[in-house]
């Protein structure tokens, strides 16, 4: 008897789903809807609306809701066994926030079947758009909350991270200050993950410890809302936030709206959603401390499970709750696929030509370097600006190699606080399909890189979380390693092994890169 679990991932540019069968250990279906391409009426560019000054970046909760309808329509049309799914969970781009009136709870419990999901959501939005993780417009709010918490170190100790522009607390403060009327009208604030979790569950969903830690509002040690952080952020904030809950929490059965419209199993469990990075941690099989993964998405992230809460003394990295219990460390580099795509598009290349350019250039690029800060960068924190050293802007292959080498060297430099150098790296995310990028990753980090069957580790992680929560609920216990193992075995045919000569080249180059970076950060 198959046992089906569905994982969804609402990321910056797409909504993906993965259907797994826990019995056979197989992925049954893996698909995506691209926001710009498949829902053009929303007029997004790379999934977002960017203010001309570049700092304000929003997206649309209606778009996310409509994508969910579209996806279920496709799954139904393609006759996937929706009526047999035992549990559903999901993953959302982190930090983004959705603002709804006090009527949202009633609306979600009694959804209008004649309207789409987006129609139902439109009735309860108190803010038409949602700031997302790419938004960089809250520096003054960050400074104010940081000061109220007692400075950077105190903020890191309290919430697991220094104040960051994209984190939800500073975003809420900005909204409350700039639009106090609309803020007062807001009865519920959700994260992208808890918003979509609410739609699937047909009730206001709690926020899980993984995604909750990306708000600068959660006490990272106690896993409760942090009273001082709430007070420093906005008035009456506690009453607008849902409960915090463990990532295994199930919220009852799925929304009858989805059962009636798409034929979902009425007994399927709706399991709380989490952030895309905590879900990718599970989707790459990192349920025990000591392994590192790199996700190459719109942003690049480097993360690993930790047994205890160890924070970054420089305040660049983050600690989030791990869905497998304990904690995870994470560093987020904003100029991930964003920067690779900029270089590719600037020179009118496709990905084949981009890869060919890398193959045809020497390891270390003859010392040609780039600081690829096409957008304001998160790590290291700096304004937008692409800087080149010994590298001509017209040197097309040189620029292709330089952007990837820079990304990998930056990851290596800024992840040293996590402890031991990795002995194995698991790669996921769209760009993990690119062999040239993974070979540079292996050489710069001097560790073998393993690639998995699906590049969509976040959706897989969500499906595995659903399977884990259902198993725990049904049998009283569930072993994480047992659940993830069949799905997260790396593809042994595609291991990228470090080349000793290349490792030597990067050993020296990374020092030169570090100086180039710090000179630029210091205005040099
Ligand atoms: C993590 C971060 C991004 C988003 C987008 O802190 O900002 O990785 O989760 O995927």
């Amino acid at each position: 008897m198959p046992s089906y679990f569905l994982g969804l991932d609402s990321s910056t540019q797409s909504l993906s789903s993965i259907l797994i069968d826990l019995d056979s250990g197989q992925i049954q279906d893996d698909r995506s809807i691209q926001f710009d391409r498949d829902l053009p009426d929303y007029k997004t560019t790379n999934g977002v609306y960017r203010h001309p000054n570049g700092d304000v970046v929003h997206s649309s909760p209606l778009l996310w809701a409509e994508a969910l309808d579209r996806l279920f329509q496709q799954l139904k049309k393609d006759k996937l066994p929706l009526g047999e799914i035992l549990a559903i969970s999901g993953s959302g781009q982190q930090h983004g926030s959705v603002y709804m009136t006090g009527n949202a709870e009633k609306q979600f419990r009694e959804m209008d079947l004649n309207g789409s999901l987006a129609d139902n959501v439109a009735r309860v939005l108190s803010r038409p758009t949602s700031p997302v993780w790419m938004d960089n417009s809250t520096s003054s709010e960050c400074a104010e909350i940081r000061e109220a918490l007692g400075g950077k170190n105190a903020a890191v100790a309290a919430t697991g991270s220094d104040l960051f522009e994209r984190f939800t607390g500073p975003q809420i403060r900005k909204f409350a200050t700039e639009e106090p009327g609309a803020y007062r009208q807001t009865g519920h604030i959700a994260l992208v993950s808890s918003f979509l979790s609410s739609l699937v569950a047909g009730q206001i969903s709690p926020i899980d410890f993984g995604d909750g830690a990306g708000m600068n509002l959660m006490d990272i040690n106690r896993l409760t809302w942090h009273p001082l952080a709430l007070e420093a952020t906005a008035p009456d904030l506690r009453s607008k936030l849902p409960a915090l809950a463990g990532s295994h929490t199930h919220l009852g059965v799925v929304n009858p709206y989805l059962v009636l419209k798409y034929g979902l199993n009425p007994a399927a469990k709706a399991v709380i959603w989490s952030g895309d990075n905590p879900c990718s941690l599970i989707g790459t099989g990192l349920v025990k401390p000591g392994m590192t993964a790199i996700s190459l998405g719109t942003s690049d992230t480097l993360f690993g499970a930790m047994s205890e809460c160890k924070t970054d003394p420089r305040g660049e990295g983050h600690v989030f709750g791990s869905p497998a219990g304990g904690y995870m460390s994470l560093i987020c580099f904003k100029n991930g696929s964003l920067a690779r795509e900029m270089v590719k598009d600037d020179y009118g290349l496709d990905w084949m030509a981009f890869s060919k350019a890398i193959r045809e250039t020497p390891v270390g690029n003859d010392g040609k370097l780039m600081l690829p800060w096409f957008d304001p960068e998160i790590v290291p924190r700096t304004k937008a600006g692409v800087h080149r050293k010994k590298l001509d802007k017209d040197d097309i292959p040189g620029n292709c190699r330089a952007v990837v080498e820079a990304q990998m060297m930056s990851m290596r430099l800024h992840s040293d606080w996590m402890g031991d150098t990795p002995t194995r790296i698991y790669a996921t995310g769209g760009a993990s399909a690119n062999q040239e990028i993974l070979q540079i990753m292996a050489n710069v980090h001097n560790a073998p890189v393993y690639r998995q069957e699906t590049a969509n580790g976040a959706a897989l992680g969500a499906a595995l979380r659903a399977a884990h929560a259902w198993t725990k609920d049904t049998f009283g216990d569930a072993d994480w390693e047992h659940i993830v193992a069949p799905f997260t075995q790396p593809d042994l045919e595609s291991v990228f092994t470090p080349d000793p000569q290349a490792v030597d080249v990067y050993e020296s180059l990374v020092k030169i890169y570090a100086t180039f970076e710090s000179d630029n950060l210091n205005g040099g």
Side-chain angles (χ1 to χ4, degrees), residues 390-468:
K390 292 198 196 161
L391 174 65
D392 202 287
K393 180 138 201 291
D394 299 329
D395 174 355
I396 300 178
N399 278 271
C400 293
R401 178 171 276 278
V403 65
V404 178
E405 289 189 336
Q407 291 173 325
M408 297 306 148
M409 289 194 283
S410 179
M411 281 186 199
R412 178 173 150 176
L413 285 169
H414 294 278
S415 59
D416 57 355
W417 64 276
M418 289 183 181
D420 304 336
T421 39
T423 49
R424 209 182 235 223
I425 296 172
Y426 295 85
T428 184
S432 65
N434 185 306
Q435 303 191 15
E436 286 70 26
I437 296 180
L438 297 200
Q439 188 59 55
I440 296 177
M441 185 187 284
N443 291 339
V444 171
H445 290 272
N446 191 12
V449 172
Y450 290 76
R451 188 161 61 179
Q452 283 168 312
E453 182 185 341
T454 174
N456 200 345
L460 176 60
L464 292 168
R465 287 183 40 252
H468 179 268

Side-chain angles (χ1 to χ4, degrees), residues 39-355:
L39 293 160
D41 289 354
Y42 286 91
K43 297 188 169 49
T44 50
T45 304
N46 299 329
V48 298
Y49 307 117
R50 204 182 262 266
H51 188 271
N53 79 6
D55 277 346
V56 175
V57 185
H58 284 215
S59 188
S60 165
L62 300 178
L63 162 68
W64 300 329
E66 185 152 348
L68 200 59
D69 252 333
R70 275 294 173 90
L71 190 85
F72 276 114
Q73 275 160 23
Q74 281 189 11
L75 297 177
K76 184 178 176 188
K77 185 169 138 280
D78 293 346
K79 302 201 169 22
L80 267 87
L82 294 180
E84 293 170 54
I85 290 172
L86 297 172
I88 301 181
S89 188
S91 141
Q93 55 169 309
Q94 295 199 252
H95 317 297
S97 41
V98 180
Y99 299 79
M100 294 172 285
T101 62
N103 294 334
E105 175 83 54
K106 187 166 184 301
Q107 180 75 34
F108 289 170
R109 284 192 187 274
E110 298 163 19
M111 296 244 281
D112 171 12
L113 262 170
N114 295 317
S116 65
L117 281 174
D119 293 335
N120 278 278
V121 169
R123 290 178 200 156
V124 294
L125 289 182
S126 56
R127 189 182 194 185
T129 57
S130 292
V132 296
W133 67 275
M134 294 167 80
D135 190 290
N136 192 41
S137 67
T138 63
S139 298
S140 54
E141 287 78 9
C142 285
E144 287 157 5
I145 302 171
R146 185 184 293 116
E147 196 189 326
L149 288 177
K152 179 164 106 177
N153 294 343
V156 173
T159 72
S161 300
D162 184 19
L163 273 293
F164 278 90
E165 282 75 359
R166 69 192 192 287
F167 274 45
T168 325
Q171 291 291 343
I172 294 173
R173 181 169 179 80
K174 182 175 176 217
F175 179 53
T177 315
E178 291 183 353
E179 297 179 56
Y183 178 75
R184 270 195 304 276
Q185 293 295 311
T186 301
H188 300 283
I189 300 177
L191 293 178
V192 179
S193 63
S194 70
F195 166 65
L196 290 162
S197 183
S198 303
L199 288 183
V200 173
Q203 58 177 286
I204 295 292
S205 169
I207 289 176
D208 89 304
F209 302 141
D211 220 8
M215 301 173 81
N216 283 136
L217 293 173
M218 188 181 94
D219 182 325
I220 195 67
N221 296 299
R222 294 195 176 87
L223 306 178
T224 53
W225 294 120
H226 194 288
L228 185 57
L230 296 184
E231 195 189 310
T233 299
D236 296 329
L237 183 51
R238 179 65 196 89
S239 69
K240 300 176 199 288
L241 293 172
L244 286 161
S247 314
H248 59 273
T249 309
H250 81 70
L251 310 166
V253 290
V254 289
N255 193 344
Y257 179 95
L258 299 174
V259 175
L260 294 168
K261 230 170 138 180
Y262 300 114
L264 266 179
N265 171 11
K269 299 272 192 308
V271 175
I272 193 169
W273 287 39
S274 185
D276 54 358
N277 292 296
C279 286
S280 294
L281 184 85
I282 303 301
T284 40
L286 273 60
V287 293
K288 283 247 165 94
M291 303 193 289
T292 299
I294 293 178
S295 167
L296 301 170
T298 306
S299 64
D300 287 345
T301 54
L302 185 148
F303 51 83
M306 298 189 291
S307 42
E308 51 188 49
C309 179
K310 178 174 172 198
T311 51
D312 175 7
R314 280 195 296 261
E316 291 179 334
H318 316 296
V319 178
F320 296 155
S322 159
Y327 293 95
M328 66 180 283
S329 53
L330 177 118
I331 316 178
C332 177
F333 303 86
K334 191 178 190 189
N335 287 282
S337 285
L338 205 76
R340 292 183 288 273
E341 271 164 30
M342 283 284 201
V343 172
K344 171 182 85 69
D345 296 344
D346 270 2
Y347 297 111
L349 307 177
D350 57 19
W351 285 120
M352 293 257 284
F354 182 86
S355 295

Side-chain angles (χ1 to χ4, degrees), residues 6-24:
L6 185 69
L8 300 158
D9 172 38
S10 181
S11 75
T12 316
Q13 309 204 34
S14 58
L15 175 70
S16 309
S17 68
I18 285 190
L19 181 73
I20 58 167
D21 170 16
L22 194 63
D23 264 30
S24 64

